[in-house]
Amino acid sequence: RDKGLADTSVAALLAWHKGNHHFGIALEGVLPTGDYDKDHLANIGKNYYTGRPLFAYTYMNQYMDLSAKFSYSINGKNDDTNYRSGQYAAVDYNIGYHVSPALTVGLQGYALKQATNDELDSVKIEDNKAQVIAYGPAIAYHPSKQWSIEGKYLIEDQVENRTKGRNIGLKFVWSF
């Protein structure tokens, strides 16, 4: 299954601002709505629920923005396989320089470190904790408050117990 919608994320967010500093806390839930078949090696969906508290911070002025989002994921069990992926901490980051009011270039990435063991049929699987650090260039064009487009290319490094890859992302936002 290589086409379809992935799992759905929903979140409640509380945000506040003080000058150039912006803060947010949220509780996010990931719902198993994506396509999943236990007989396929790769799936769009994960077939389990995830709860994720998070904290986000941004410092922004006319020249730059520094952002980070810290989260902790608590995974449910996949009932089709009786497998539960371990809990993990993650941070997403962005360092951006404003070339102009509409154009930002910078560095983006993420880091993930698994904190608890995976389980199969409620038995812990030792020495299988995942980790990864990713980094790469990013560019954003936001000519108005109504729309923006962003692109990034991330390289994964220091990968353990998960697939290693490169990630190309393109995001278009239209506000209404």
Side-chain angles (χ1 to χ4, degrees):
R1 298 189 174 190
D2 58 359
K3 296 178 185 162
L5 294 175
D7 292 342
T8 302
S9 296
V10 294
L13 171 70
L14 175 63
W16 63 99
H17 314 282
K18 183 169 174 105
N20 293 337
H21 303 275
H22 310 277
F23 308 88
I25 56 173
L27 184 57
E28 182 178 40
V30 182
L31 311 175
T33 57
D35 287 339
Y36 179 83
D37 183 332
K38 71 177 183 176
D39 295 323
H40 284 96
L41 180 60
N43 287 283
I44 293 173
K46 294 184 177 179
N47 201 42
Y48 57 82
Y49 293 91
T50 299
R52 185 177 296 139
L54 62 89
F55 171 77
Y57 170 76
T58 296
Y59 173 81
M60 185 182 305
N61 64 29
Q62 67 184 16
Y63 304 108
M64 62 181 269
D65 63 76
L66 304 171
S67 299
K69 178 180 79 172
F70 304 90
S71 64
Y72 191 80
S73 294
I74 303 161
N75 298 309
K77 183 176 72 170
N78 181 330
D79 290 327
D80 288 354
T81 61
N82 286 325
Y83 197 92
R84 180 187 303 266
S85 295
Q87 301 174 15
Y88 62 89
V91 60
D92 297 270
Y93 63 89
N94 175 67
I95 303 166
Y97 173 73
H98 303 292
V99 177
S100 72
L103 183 64
T104 303
V105 297
L107 176 70
Q108 286 187 5
Y110 55 87
L112 176 144
K113 182 77 171 176
Q114 189 170 330
T116 65
N117 291 313
D118 292 356
E119 296 178 8
L120 178 60
D121 295 322
S122 299
V123 176
K124 292 183 192 285
I125 300 171
E126 302 291 333
D127 301 322
N128 193 43
K129 293 181 181 172
Q131 75 171 31
V132 64
I133 296 174
Y135 51 87
I139 187 166
Y141 180 65
H142 35 90
S144 73
K145 291 183 178 183
Q146 189 170 14
W147 72 276
S148 66
I149 189 164
E150 301 175 17
K152 62 184 171 183
Y153 176 74
L154 303 180
I155 300 163
E156 292 186 331
D157 197 9
Q158 300 182 32
V159 178
E160 291 183 15
N161 298 312
R162 60 179 276 152
T163 58
K164 180 178 181 178
R166 295 170 188 248
N167 179 323
I168 297 173
L170 184 63
K171 178 170 71 172
F172 177 76
V173 176
W174 183 272
S175 299
F176 51 99

